[in-house]
Amino acid sequence: MLLKTRHLLLLLHLHEKRSVLRAAEAASMTQPAASKLLAEMEYLVGAPLFQRHARGIEPTMYGDVLARHARAALSELTRAEDEIGALRDGRLGQAAVGTVVNPGTNLVPLAVARVKTAFPSILVRVEMDYSRPLVARLLDGQLDIVIGRIMDAELADVLQFERLADEPHAVIARAGHPLGSKGALTHADLADHGWVVPPESSILRARMGTAFMEHDIAWPDNVIETSALPVITALLIESDFLTVLPARSISAHVEAGLLQILPIDLDVRMEDFGIVRRRHHPLSPAAAHVLAALRETARDLYGPAPRGAGRARR
Protein backbone atom coordinates (compact mmCIF):
# COMPACT_ATOMS: atom_id res chain seq x y z
CA MET A 1 0.00 0.00 0.00
CA LEU A 2 1.47 3.34 -1.08
CA LEU A 3 0.16 5.20 1.93
CA LYS A 4 2.02 8.32 2.99
CA THR A 5 2.56 9.81 6.42
CA ARG A 6 -0.15 12.42 5.81
CA HIS A 7 -2.61 9.62 5.07
CA LEU A 8 -1.78 7.91 8.36
CA LEU A 9 -2.01 11.12 10.38
CA LEU A 10 -5.43 11.92 8.96
CA LEU A 11 -6.55 8.32 9.50
CA LEU A 12 -5.81 8.58 13.22
CA HIS A 13 -7.67 11.90 13.47
CA LEU A 14 -10.66 10.34 11.68
CA HIS A 15 -10.53 7.32 13.97
CA GLU A 16 -10.44 9.52 17.07
CA LYS A 17 -12.81 12.35 16.06
CA ARG A 18 -15.44 10.26 14.21
CA SER A 19 -16.02 13.30 11.97
CA VAL A 20 -14.39 14.35 8.70
CA LEU A 21 -14.81 18.03 9.60
CA ARG A 22 -13.24 17.70 13.07
CA ALA A 23 -10.48 15.46 11.72
CA ALA A 24 -9.73 18.02 9.00
CA GLU A 25 -9.49 20.78 11.62
CA ALA A 26 -7.16 18.66 13.77
CA ALA A 27 -4.98 17.96 10.71
CA SER A 28 -4.99 21.66 9.70
CA MET A 29 -6.60 21.05 6.31
CA THR A 30 -9.92 21.76 4.64
CA GLN A 31 -12.79 19.30 4.74
CA PRO A 32 -12.66 18.70 0.94
CA ALA A 33 -8.93 17.95 1.21
CA ALA A 34 -9.58 15.50 4.05
CA SER A 35 -12.36 13.80 2.08
CA LYS A 36 -10.03 13.47 -0.91
CA LEU A 37 -7.28 11.92 1.22
CA LEU A 38 -9.76 9.49 2.76
CA ALA A 39 -10.95 8.47 -0.70
CA GLU A 40 -7.31 7.91 -1.72
CA MET A 41 -6.71 5.70 1.32
CA GLU A 42 -9.78 3.58 0.61
CA TYR A 43 -8.73 3.21 -3.02
CA LEU A 44 -5.20 2.15 -2.05
CA VAL A 45 -6.43 -0.26 0.62
CA GLY A 46 -9.19 -1.61 -1.56
CA ALA A 47 -11.77 -1.59 1.23
CA PRO A 48 -14.04 0.93 3.01
CA LEU A 49 -12.34 2.34 6.09
CA PHE A 50 -15.28 4.28 7.51
CA GLN A 51 -19.05 4.13 7.33
CA ARG A 52 -20.78 7.47 6.74
CA HIS A 53 -23.97 8.39 8.60
CA ALA A 54 -25.88 11.52 9.59
CA ARG A 55 -23.92 12.02 12.83
CA GLY A 56 -20.47 11.51 11.35
CA ILE A 57 -18.40 8.41 10.56
CA GLU A 58 -17.63 5.08 12.22
CA PRO A 59 -14.59 2.92 11.43
CA THR A 60 -15.14 -0.39 9.69
CA MET A 61 -13.17 -3.46 10.72
CA TYR A 62 -10.69 -2.49 7.99
CA GLY A 63 -10.41 1.00 9.45
CA ASP A 64 -9.80 -0.35 12.94
CA VAL A 65 -7.00 -2.61 11.70
CA LEU A 66 -5.33 0.10 9.64
CA ALA A 67 -5.62 2.65 12.48
CA ARG A 68 -3.94 0.27 14.90
CA HIS A 69 -1.03 -0.32 12.55
CA ALA A 70 -0.84 3.35 11.60
CA ARG A 71 -0.55 4.32 15.25
CA ALA A 72 2.30 1.84 15.70
CA ALA A 73 4.03 2.98 12.49
CA LEU A 74 3.92 6.67 13.43
CA SER A 75 5.11 5.86 16.92
CA GLU A 76 8.04 3.94 15.43
CA LEU A 77 8.93 6.92 13.22
CA THR A 78 8.92 9.21 16.24
CA ARG A 79 11.07 6.76 18.18
CA ALA A 80 13.45 6.51 15.22
CA GLU A 81 13.79 10.29 15.13
CA ASP A 82 14.55 10.34 18.86
CA GLU A 83 17.08 7.52 18.51
CA ILE A 84 18.88 9.19 15.60
CA GLY A 85 19.01 12.43 17.58
CA ALA A 86 20.49 10.58 20.54
CA LEU A 87 23.14 8.96 18.37
CA ARG A 88 24.05 12.35 16.89
CA ASP A 89 24.51 13.63 20.45
CA GLY A 90 26.79 10.72 21.33
CA ARG A 91 24.17 8.88 23.37
CA LEU A 92 22.98 5.27 22.95
CA GLY A 93 19.32 6.20 22.66
CA GLN A 94 16.40 5.29 24.86
CA ALA A 95 14.22 2.38 25.91
CA ALA A 96 10.65 2.34 27.25
CA VAL A 97 9.65 -0.40 29.70
CA GLY A 98 6.22 -1.13 31.14
CA THR A 99 5.81 -3.22 34.28
CA VAL A 100 3.16 -4.62 36.58
CA VAL A 101 3.43 -3.96 40.31
CA ASN A 102 5.55 -6.77 41.73
CA PRO A 103 8.50 -6.71 39.27
CA GLY A 104 8.14 -2.93 39.25
CA THR A 105 9.31 -2.85 42.85
CA ASN A 106 12.36 -5.10 42.51
CA LEU A 107 13.25 -6.61 39.12
CA VAL A 108 12.83 -3.52 36.95
CA PRO A 109 14.59 -0.99 39.26
CA LEU A 110 17.53 -3.36 39.75
CA ALA A 111 17.78 -4.02 36.00
CA VAL A 112 17.60 -0.32 35.16
CA ALA A 113 20.30 0.45 37.73
CA ARG A 114 22.45 -2.25 36.14
CA VAL A 115 21.97 -0.74 32.67
CA LYS A 116 22.70 2.80 33.85
CA THR A 117 25.90 1.64 35.55
CA ALA A 118 27.16 0.09 32.34
CA PHE A 119 25.64 2.62 29.90
CA PRO A 120 25.00 5.97 31.62
CA SER A 121 23.91 7.69 28.41
CA ILE A 122 20.90 5.42 27.82
CA LEU A 123 17.60 7.07 28.72
CA VAL A 124 15.23 4.51 30.28
CA ARG A 125 11.55 5.36 30.70
CA VAL A 126 9.50 3.14 33.05
CA GLU A 127 5.71 2.95 33.31
CA MET A 128 3.73 0.94 35.88
CA ASP A 129 0.22 -0.31 35.12
CA TYR A 130 -1.78 -3.49 34.64
CA SER A 131 -0.94 -5.96 31.88
CA ARG A 132 -3.70 -5.14 29.39
CA PRO A 133 -3.03 -1.38 29.05
CA LEU A 134 0.72 -2.01 29.01
CA VAL A 135 0.41 -4.59 26.22
CA ALA A 136 -1.81 -2.18 24.27
CA ARG A 137 0.93 0.46 24.48
CA LEU A 138 3.49 -2.17 23.46
CA LEU A 139 1.47 -2.99 20.34
CA ASP A 140 1.13 0.72 19.57
CA GLY A 141 4.92 1.08 19.65
CA GLN A 142 4.93 3.27 22.76
CA LEU A 143 6.82 0.63 24.78
CA ASP A 144 9.73 -1.63 23.83
CA ILE A 145 9.31 -4.24 26.55
CA VAL A 146 6.59 -5.14 29.05
CA ILE A 147 7.07 -7.11 32.25
CA GLY A 148 3.61 -8.53 32.67
CA ARG A 149 1.23 -11.06 31.15
CA ILE A 150 -0.48 -11.74 27.83
CA MET A 151 -4.11 -11.87 28.96
CA ASP A 152 -5.66 -12.19 25.48
CA ALA A 153 -4.95 -15.48 23.73
CA GLU A 154 -5.43 -14.02 20.25
CA LEU A 155 -2.33 -11.85 20.76
CA ALA A 156 -0.04 -14.85 21.14
CA ASP A 157 0.79 -14.79 17.42
CA VAL A 158 2.08 -11.21 17.53
CA LEU A 159 3.68 -11.24 20.98
CA GLN A 160 6.54 -13.23 22.46
CA PHE A 161 6.41 -14.23 26.14
CA GLU A 162 9.37 -15.29 28.31
CA ARG A 163 8.07 -16.63 31.63
CA LEU A 164 10.00 -15.34 34.67
CA ALA A 165 8.20 -16.09 37.95
CA ASP A 166 4.87 -16.41 39.71
CA GLU A 167 3.27 -13.62 41.72
CA PRO A 168 1.65 -14.88 44.97
CA HIS A 169 -0.90 -12.43 46.36
CA ALA A 170 -1.70 -11.91 50.04
CA VAL A 171 -4.08 -9.88 52.18
CA ILE A 172 -2.18 -6.80 53.40
CA ALA A 173 -2.92 -4.51 56.36
CA ARG A 174 -1.06 -1.96 58.47
CA ALA A 175 1.13 -3.12 61.30
CA GLY A 176 -0.99 -3.19 64.42
CA HIS A 177 -4.23 -3.76 62.50
CA PRO A 178 -6.94 -5.32 64.73
CA LEU A 179 -7.04 -8.42 62.53
CA GLY A 180 -3.30 -8.93 62.94
CA SER A 181 -3.62 -9.76 66.64
CA LYS A 182 -6.74 -11.89 66.37
CA GLY A 183 -4.90 -15.14 65.77
CA ALA A 184 -6.52 -17.56 63.35
CA LEU A 185 -8.65 -15.62 60.88
CA THR A 186 -11.71 -16.72 58.96
CA HIS A 187 -12.89 -15.22 55.70
CA ALA A 188 -15.89 -13.77 57.54
CA ASP A 189 -13.46 -11.62 59.54
CA LEU A 190 -12.60 -9.72 56.37
CA ALA A 191 -16.16 -8.73 55.55
CA ASP A 192 -16.58 -5.64 57.74
CA HIS A 193 -13.48 -3.76 56.63
CA GLY A 194 -12.83 -1.20 53.94
CA TRP A 195 -10.72 -2.26 50.98
CA VAL A 196 -8.33 -0.62 48.55
CA VAL A 197 -9.11 -2.24 45.19
CA PRO A 198 -7.78 -1.93 41.63
CA PRO A 199 -9.90 -0.36 38.84
CA GLU A 200 -12.73 -2.38 37.35
CA SER A 201 -10.81 -2.97 34.11
CA SER A 202 -8.01 -4.89 35.85
CA ILE A 203 -7.71 -8.67 35.96
CA LEU A 204 -6.82 -8.49 39.67
CA ARG A 205 -10.15 -6.78 40.39
CA ALA A 206 -11.98 -9.65 38.68
CA ARG A 207 -9.94 -12.25 40.57
CA MET A 208 -10.70 -10.48 43.87
CA GLY A 209 -14.42 -10.51 43.04
CA THR A 210 -14.29 -14.23 42.30
CA ALA A 211 -12.44 -14.93 45.56
CA PHE A 212 -14.99 -12.90 47.56
CA MET A 213 -17.87 -14.86 46.01
CA GLU A 214 -16.18 -18.23 46.56
CA HIS A 215 -15.71 -17.44 50.25
CA ASP A 216 -19.20 -15.95 50.64
CA ILE A 217 -17.91 -12.43 51.36
CA ALA A 218 -20.09 -9.56 50.15
CA TRP A 219 -18.28 -7.06 47.98
CA PRO A 220 -17.42 -4.20 50.37
CA ASP A 221 -19.36 -0.94 50.31
CA ASN A 222 -16.37 1.01 51.62
CA VAL A 223 -13.76 0.91 48.84
CA ILE A 224 -11.04 3.10 47.38
CA GLU A 225 -10.03 2.48 43.76
CA THR A 226 -6.41 3.04 42.75
CA SER A 227 -3.59 1.23 40.96
CA ALA A 228 -0.81 3.46 42.33
CA LEU A 229 1.35 1.46 44.74
CA PRO A 230 2.60 4.49 46.72
CA VAL A 231 -0.99 5.63 47.27
CA ILE A 232 -2.05 2.10 48.28
CA THR A 233 0.72 1.69 50.84
CA ALA A 234 0.12 5.18 52.29
CA LEU A 235 -3.61 4.46 52.65
CA LEU A 236 -2.93 1.15 54.38
CA ILE A 237 -0.40 2.65 56.80
CA GLU A 238 -2.80 5.44 57.81
CA SER A 239 -6.03 3.43 58.10
CA ASP A 240 -7.59 0.05 58.79
CA PHE A 241 -8.22 -0.62 55.10
CA LEU A 242 -7.17 -3.94 53.60
CA THR A 243 -5.94 -4.84 50.14
CA VAL A 244 -4.60 -7.74 48.08
CA LEU A 245 -1.07 -7.31 46.70
CA PRO A 246 1.89 -9.45 45.68
CA ALA A 247 3.74 -10.18 48.91
CA ARG A 248 7.10 -9.29 47.31
CA SER A 249 5.90 -5.81 46.34
CA ILE A 250 5.55 -4.64 49.96
CA SER A 251 8.40 -6.62 51.54
CA ALA A 252 10.34 -3.44 52.38
CA HIS A 253 7.31 -2.03 54.24
CA VAL A 254 6.90 -5.30 56.13
CA GLU A 255 10.57 -5.33 57.12
CA ALA A 256 10.24 -1.70 58.26
CA GLY A 257 7.34 -2.63 60.52
CA LEU A 258 4.79 -0.54 58.60
CA LEU A 259 2.68 -3.25 56.96
CA GLN A 260 1.90 -6.89 57.65
CA ILE A 261 0.65 -9.92 55.76
CA LEU A 262 -2.48 -11.26 57.40
CA PRO A 263 -2.52 -15.02 58.17
CA ILE A 264 -5.27 -15.95 55.73
CA ASP A 265 -5.37 -17.08 52.11
CA LEU A 266 -8.00 -15.33 49.99
CA ASP A 267 -7.09 -17.61 47.05
CA VAL A 268 -6.37 -14.75 44.63
CA ARG A 269 -4.28 -16.30 41.88
CA MET A 270 -2.58 -14.60 38.94
CA GLU A 271 -0.71 -16.13 36.03
CA ASP A 272 3.10 -16.05 35.96
CA PHE A 273 4.55 -12.78 34.74
CA GLY A 274 7.33 -12.51 32.21
CA ILE A 275 8.98 -10.47 29.47
CA VAL A 276 6.56 -9.53 26.69
CA ARG A 277 7.84 -8.27 23.34
CA ARG A 278 6.49 -7.84 19.85
CA ARG A 279 7.30 -10.92 17.80
CA HIS A 280 9.67 -10.40 14.83
CA HIS A 281 10.29 -6.80 15.92
CA PRO A 282 13.99 -5.92 16.38
CA LEU A 283 14.87 -3.89 19.46
CA SER A 284 16.96 -0.74 19.39
CA PRO A 285 20.48 -1.06 20.85
CA ALA A 286 19.33 0.69 24.04
CA ALA A 287 16.30 -1.59 24.45
CA ALA A 288 18.48 -4.65 23.76
CA HIS A 289 20.76 -3.63 26.64
CA VAL A 290 17.73 -3.25 28.90
CA LEU A 291 16.42 -6.67 27.85
CA ALA A 292 19.77 -8.30 28.67
CA ALA A 293 19.80 -6.60 32.08
CA LEU A 294 16.23 -7.76 32.79
CA ARG A 295 17.13 -11.36 31.99
CA GLU A 296 20.31 -11.25 34.07
CA THR A 297 18.57 -9.61 37.04
CA ALA A 298 15.67 -12.08 36.81
CA ARG A 299 18.12 -14.98 37.09
CA ASP A 300 19.58 -13.37 40.23
CA LEU A 301 16.15 -12.83 41.81
CA TYR A 302 14.15 -15.85 40.69
CA GLY A 303 16.70 -18.42 39.58
CA PRO A 304 16.77 -20.08 36.13
CA ALA A 305 13.83 -19.33 33.86
CA PRO A 306 10.96 -21.86 34.27
CA ARG A 307 10.44 -24.51 31.63
CA GLY A 308 8.54 -23.14 28.68
CA ALA A 309 10.13 -19.71 28.86
CA GLY A 310 10.30 -18.11 25.45
CA ARG A 311 7.01 -19.54 24.17
CA ALA A 312 3.96 -17.33 23.98
CA ARG A 313 1.10 -18.12 26.34
CA ARG A 314 -1.99 -19.22 24.47
Side-chain angles (χ1 to χ4, degrees):
M1 292 184 292
L2 301 177
L3 294 174
K4 300 178 180 178
T5 303
R6 62 192 181 118
H7 289 122
L8 302 184
L9 288 169
L10 177 63
L11 175 69
L12 295 186
H13 287 308
L14 291 166
H15 197 265
E16 177 186 354
K17 303 295 184 181
R18 299 297 203 264
S19 163
V20 176
L21 176 59
R22 291 197 295 272
E25 292 172 347
S28 300
M29 65 177 63
T30 64
Q31 183 173 352
S35 297
K36 181 180 178 181
L37 274 183
L38 174 56
E40 287 179 5
M41 280 189 282
E42 292 183 322
Y43 173 77
L44 291 170
V45 172
L49 301 176
F50 294 89
Q51 293 179 336
R52 285 75 167 172
H53 53 73
R55 297 182 303 280
I57 57 174
E58 286 294 327
T60 64
M61 61 181 179
Y62 309 107
D64 281 333
V65 169
L66 188 58
R68 174 164 55 85
H69 287 282
R71 191 173 292 109
L74 291 172
S75 178
E76 284 297 317
L77 288 174
T78 301
R79 299 286 297 280
E81 183 179 6
D82 293 340
E83 191 174 330
I84 290 172
L87 291 172
R88 284 174 177 165
D89 294 338
R91 294 179 284 115
L92 284 176
Q94 58 181 306
V97 180
T99 178
V100 294
V101 171
N102 179 14
T105 62
N106 45 47
L107 168 64
V108 173
L110 291 172
V112 170
R114 179 172 261 160
V115 167
K116 294 296 286 184
T117 298
F119 307 99
S121 66
I122 291 179
L123 172 62
V124 183
R125 178 167 56 86
V126 179
E127 298 182 18
M128 184 179 290
D129 208 328
Y130 294 102
S131 290
R132 275 209 174 100
L134 289 174
V135 167
R137 292 199 281 278
L138 176 70
L139 291 171
D140 281 349
Q142 300 176 49
L143 297 173
D144 298 299
I145 301 166
V146 164
I147 308 301
R149 306 171 184 84
I150 303 175
M151 304 307 302
D152 301 302
E154 64 271 17
L155 296 178
D157 290 334
V158 295
L159 295 174
Q160 181 177 347
F161 180 79
E162 298 178 37
R163 190 175 290 106
L164 292 179
D166 62 355
E167 193 174 27
H169 283 60
V171 180
I172 312 297
R174 67 172 176 84
H177 192 284
L179 292 181
S181 59
K182 191 172 180 180
L185 296 178
T186 67
H187 291 95
D189 293 325
L190 305 176
D192 296 329
H193 291 271
W195 286 76
V196 183
V197 300
E200 289 187 359
S201 59
S202 73
I203 298 299
L204 178 56
R205 172 72 168 260
R207 300 289 168 83
M208 286 179 65
T210 299
F212 273 56
M213 286 190 292
E214 289 178 347
H215 294 291
D216 198 25
I217 304 171
W219 186 256
D221 294 325
N222 185 11
V223 299
I224 301 171
E225 284 191 9
T226 180
S227 60
L229 185 60
V231 176
I232 295 171
T233 54
L235 285 168
L236 294 180
I237 291 169
E238 298 298 330
S239 71
D240 283 342
F241 274 73
L242 306 174
T243 197
V244 172
L245 283 173
R248 292 192 190 105
S249 68
I250 47 89
S251 58
H253 293 82
V254 173
E255 293 171 3
L258 298 173
L259 297 176
Q260 64 176 316
I261 299 172
L262 294 181
I264 188 169
D265 188 359
L266 195 56
D267 297 322
V268 175
R269 298 287 182 263
M270 298 291 287
E271 292 83 356
D272 294 352
F273 64 84
I275 298 171
V276 187
R277 292 185 292 142
R278 283 177 287 174
R279 192 179 293 278
H280 309 307
H281 184 86
L283 294 175
S284 68
H289 286 307
V290 172
L291 176 61
L294 286 167
R295 287 170 170 162
E296 188 175 354
T297 306
R299 286 193 294 271
D300 293 343
L301 287 175
Y302 314 125
R307 289 185 63 188
R311 295 198 299 267
R313 181 187 303 280
R314 291 181 180 271

